[in-house]
Amino acid sequence: MNLNPEFRRNLWIQFGETRVLIAGLITGMIVLTAVALDVALAGARNVVPNITIYVSLWTAVVILLLWGGRQAAGAVLREIHGRTWDAQRLSTMHPWSMAWGKLFGATSLAWTVGLACLIAYAVAALWFPSPEAYALNAVAMIGYAVFCQATGLLASLARLSGRPGDRGGSTTVAQLVALLATALLASYVVWALQDQASFFGFRIGEDALRLLTIWFFALWAVVGVYRRMRRELQMRNVPWAWLLFLVMLALYAEGLAY
């Protein structure tokens, strides 16, 4: 299988035996402890996974937003501090391959463990009425994670425009920018879209509209990473992407106000 070489390189780094063992043990212990508490409190025959469903979701939040967000924010900065970034810039790798290879390669272990927690969350939701609502929550959580990680990588790439001696910066600053942007997006989705269920006059439901909003900004954050990576690799950017974003944003706003 001919994988993206940057993605494959990050997989080799992330999936070391010790890292996988520690991440798997800690996450497994947290989820299994929640399951054991549910069984102990309710009895083996009448188990309702109230604790499991919350613990698995919030464990996924911590893993994907905090750990995954930090890994994404430091994906390029670690290369700069290790003095390997200039060699990568001189390679023939396409900017898109470099962008998604770093974005999803540097966070691959976090995604693996986080998705495992979301699977546990989805399984626990089968004990509750309307499990599809919990499935939508899981999809929204994945969208928030993509937005947070892409914003963190974009914020770190934005620090690379200085002189060679000033390049780099703090991974923590880039991560805080990403977390703040994610918090603002979540606040907008929860409060501004409350009781809003129509888009261009079609009643698509509150949950569908919230998912549309989350993934709209998440996918454009990924596009922003690609465009900034093109600039970092000394490739010319034409303004069509920014104009297209403004057009799509205007259409999205018009759909809400229709």
Side-chain angles (χ1 to χ4, degrees):
M1 184 176 181
N2 188 20
L3 285 174
N4 177 345
E6 180 61 26
F7 181 72
R8 186 170 61 245
R9 186 180 72 89
N10 278 288
L11 287 182
W12 289 340
I13 295 173
Q14 293 296 313
F15 283 85
E17 294 181 358
T18 303
R19 294 170 64 92
V20 172
L21 181 62
I22 293 176
L25 283 177
I26 294 176
T27 307
M29 288 176 59
I30 292 173
V31 175
L32 290 177
T33 301
V35 173
L37 287 174
D38 279 323
V39 173
L41 293 176
R45 295 183 179 180
N46 300 311
V47 176
V48 179
N50 294 303
I51 299 176
T52 303
I53 198 166
Y54 286 105
V55 168
S56 57
L57 177 62
W58 286 104
T59 304
V61 169
V62 171
I63 291 173
L64 293 176
L65 296 189
L66 297 184
W67 182 23
R70 185 166 187 83
Q71 290 296 100
V76 174
L77 297 179
R78 285 190 297 269
E79 303 287 352
I80 294 176
H81 297 155
R83 302 185 182 277
T84 58
W85 178 236
D86 288 334
Q88 292 187 16
R89 292 176 64 221
L90 296 175
S91 68
T92 59
M93 188 176 298
H94 192 273
W96 173 240
S97 299
M98 182 73 76
W100 79 261
K102 287 194 176 298
L103 179 60
F104 297 107
T107 59
S108 53
L109 182 56
W111 274 110
T112 302
V113 181
L115 290 177
C117 292
L118 289 179
I119 291 174
Y121 171 79
V123 172
L126 298 176
W127 272 261
F128 295 87
S130 302
E132 61 275 6
Y134 294 94
L136 292 176
N137 287 338
V139 176
M141 184 63 246
I142 295 173
Y144 281 128
V146 172
F147 176 78
C148 179
Q149 295 171 13
T151 305
L153 180 55
L154 183 59
S156 65
L157 286 171
R159 300 289 302 275
L160 304 184
S161 57
R163 296 175 298 176
D166 298 332
R167 293 167 67 82
S170 172
T171 300
T172 302
V173 172
Q175 183 185 14
L176 290 177
V177 171
L179 291 174
L180 177 60
T182 306
L184 292 175
L185 175 60
S187 300
Y188 168 74
V189 168
V190 172
W191 300 107
L193 297 182
Q194 189 175 13
D195 299 326
Q196 176 81 20
S198 298
F199 193 70
F200 281 108
F202 297 98
R203 292 194 61 82
I204 64 175
E206 291 184 35
D207 293 331
L209 184 57
R210 288 173 177 173
L211 283 180
L212 173 66
T213 301
I214 294 167
W215 281 98
F216 173 81
F217 288 102
L219 294 178
W220 275 108
V222 175
V223 173
V225 171
Y226 164 63
R227 297 281 294 179
R228 191 59 185 79
M229 188 67 74
R230 283 181 59 91
R231 180 178 175 183
E232 182 61 23
L233 298 183
Q234 304 298 318
M235 298 185 69
R236 181 183 177 186
N237 277 330
V238 292
W240 64 263
W242 174 247
L243 296 176
L244 180 60
F245 170 72
L246 293 179
V247 171
M248 296 297 293
L249 185 62
L251 288 175
Y252 168 78
E254 180 64 23
L256 295 179
Y258 187 81

